[in-house]
Amino acid sequence: MTDIFQEVEEDLRRERMRSLWDRFGIYVVVVAVLIVAVTAGYRGYVYFQTKAEQDAGDEFLTALDTAAAGDSASAAKALTTFSESAPGDYPVLARFRAASELALAGETEASVAAFDALAADGGLAQRERDLARVRACYVLLDGGDKAGIEDRLTGVATEVGAWRNSAREILGVAAYQDGDYAGAEKWFGEIEMD
């Protein structure tokens, strides 16, 4: 007798499950397909993004190899061209390196102008803009442009700036080159106190 009740109960369960599947089965299938499609799309995006960054890294290394071979002018040109279309953080890195290569090629004015453009770029973080000012002033040290150095480093040689001691060092060397020994002592003293 209990077998009949169990069979009836199993038939009722099957009927309820079939009814639920008939009502909601299409939604379960659609959700499953969407999950698979979204996952595949995301993985494809990650793959193509990674591939683009790897290709950009190879192109960047090629430009650095050109610089290592001693052709700074060609390297600067290649890096500048590369920075215009590179993905991720490569454009900023390439612009910094291109400005440095211009300095190595003896194009001081172009190098300082490139670093000044980086310093004026509002899309960069403040520490990157300050670094550009510091790098421009390292290039200007060879020319003895004390006024240009002081103008660029006024806001960098503060008490809390990330590049404060580099800026103070440059200001100290510029003062020393200009014969302002008291000024040089002041800047080097601030480095020592820090």
Side-chain angles (χ1 to χ4, degrees), residues 3-36:
D3 291 336
I4 294 174
F5 290 122
Q6 279 181 333
E7 285 180 33
V8 170
E9 195 172 309
E10 285 177 18
D11 285 342
L12 286 173
R13 275 191 213 137
R14 265 189 247 139
E15 191 60 38
R16 277 189 234 138
M17 290 304 277
R18 183 172 293 139
S19 173
L20 283 173
W21 179 255
D22 289 343
R23 287 177 55 195
F24 300 110
I26 189 71
Y27 300 116
V28 172
V29 171
V30 168
V31 168
V33 168
L34 283 175
I35 289 172
V36 169

Side-chain angles (χ1 to χ4, degrees), residues 51-108:
K51 180 73 173 136
E53 289 172 357
Q54 287 172 344
D55 292 344
D58 291 343
E59 189 176 345
F60 185 71
L61 287 176
T62 301
L64 294 183
D65 289 342
T66 302
D71 192 0
S72 294
S74 294
K77 185 176 180 181
L79 287 164
T80 301
T81 303
F82 170 72
S83 71
E84 294 168 359
S85 63
D89 291 331
Y90 279 112
V92 174
L93 186 60
R95 289 173 62 197
F96 268 99
R97 186 59 189 256
S100 297
E101 291 301 324
L102 285 170
L104 292 173
E107 299 179 32
T108 303

